[in-house]
Amino acid sequence: MAEWTPNRHGVRGDNNAIADEQPMSPAKKKLSHMVLGDGGFESLMKERSALRREKEEKSLAQVMIQLTAAERALSTETQRRIEST
């Protein structure tokens, strides 16, 4: 009887099942690669997350610059009105 242990997905699998099977066809290998992945998805998600974070930081910096300019304009206008009265 074949021994079983949890595989990397936490599902019980037959350790000898792969050895007992014939070699995988190219289509089966491709499908298996797509389903199980090679860690590329995780690295892609990390890369996209970093890009999104950088984009958000740049956008926030632009908003801060605009806010500073608006505050400066308000202060100048307030000073001008105080002086005109």
Side-chain angles (χ1 to χ4, degrees):
M1 185 159 179
E3 180 182 328
W4 54 264
T5 57
N7 62 16
R8 71 181 202 162
H9 300 288
V11 178
R12 289 182 180 176
D14 186 353
N15 286 346
N16 296 327
I18 295 173
D20 294 342
E21 292 179 8
Q22 295 178 358
M24 289 180 148
S25 69
K28 204 170 192 180
K29 283 182 183 179
K30 184 176 180 181
L31 180 61
S32 175
H33 179 70
M34 288 171 49
V35 171
L36 299 177
D38 60 351
F41 177 75
E42 188 173 324
S43 63
L44 177 65
M45 294 306 293
K46 286 181 181 180
E47 181 181 335
R48 286 184 179 177
S49 175
L51 290 173
R52 185 175 48 251
R53 189 178 316 112
E54 288 175 14
K55 184 178 177 183
E56 288 173 353
E57 288 173 356
K58 182 178 178 182
S59 177
L60 181 59
Q62 289 174 342
V63 168
M64 293 298 289
I65 290 169
Q66 292 173 345
L67 180 59
T68 302
E71 288 174 337
R72 194 174 303 128
L74 178 62
S75 177
T76 303
E77 183 63 23
T78 302
Q79 294 262 344
R80 187 186 67 78
R81 289 186 183 204
I82 289 173
E83 291 172 0
S84 69
T85 56

